[in-house]
Amino acid sequence: MQYEIQPAAIHAVVVDVAADGQALHQAGAAAADTAGELAGSFGSADAVAGAFSSFWAPRQDVAQRISSLVFRKATALTEAAQAFVDADGEMSAAAKSALSTLPTAYLSAPPPQTGRLRFLTE
């Protein structure tokens, strides 16, 4: 079984998640603006205005908190992916170094390059 880290695919996922987080943040800001406008539109119905304020107060920053969580998780994903890419490069370099010390007179071709090293030109 062979595994391959695809940084471009990871980057595309992170960009999509960040865009969704940004959209959520903007929707939350728009909802907060609309709620502010709505709170002032009850006129002399103080009981209704109070009920709406009691309803909206604990919910006013939910979208911002969720979008902040999305951004933090996207950052954690990016850091983890970068660690995997770095480790892949280190393991490939270690394997190449170890393979270079083995006698290869019996091999018809050099061992294949894997990981990030396969993109490097010598």
Side-chain angles (χ1 to χ4, degrees):
M1 187 179 299
Q2 184 176 3
Y3 297 96
E4 183 178 351
I5 297 172
Q6 299 175 347
I10 295 169
H11 180 264
V13 169
V14 171
V15 167
D16 286 346
V17 169
D20 291 343
Q22 184 65 30
L24 180 60
H25 182 77
Q26 290 171 348
D33 292 344
T34 302
E37 293 171 9
L38 183 60
S41 67
F42 293 116
S44 62
D46 293 335
V48 176
F52 178 77
S53 294
S54 295
F55 166 79
W56 180 249
R59 294 166 178 82
Q60 67 184 359
D61 63 343
V62 169
Q64 276 69 30
R65 290 193 319 241
I66 293 171
S67 65
S68 177
L69 177 66
V70 168
F71 288 131
R72 286 194 313 267
K73 298 303 179 183
T75 299
L77 171 65
T78 302
E79 291 170 357
Q82 185 61 50
F84 278 114
V85 169
D86 292 345
D88 184 48
E90 291 172 12
M91 287 187 290
S92 293
K96 183 177 182 180
S97 175
L99 288 174
S100 69
T101 62
L102 295 175
T104 56
Y106 57 89
L107 289 179
S108 60
Q113 295 291 321
T114 58
R116 291 191 310 169
L117 290 177
R118 70 176 182 259
F119 298 112
L120 298 177
T121 57
E122 295 182 340

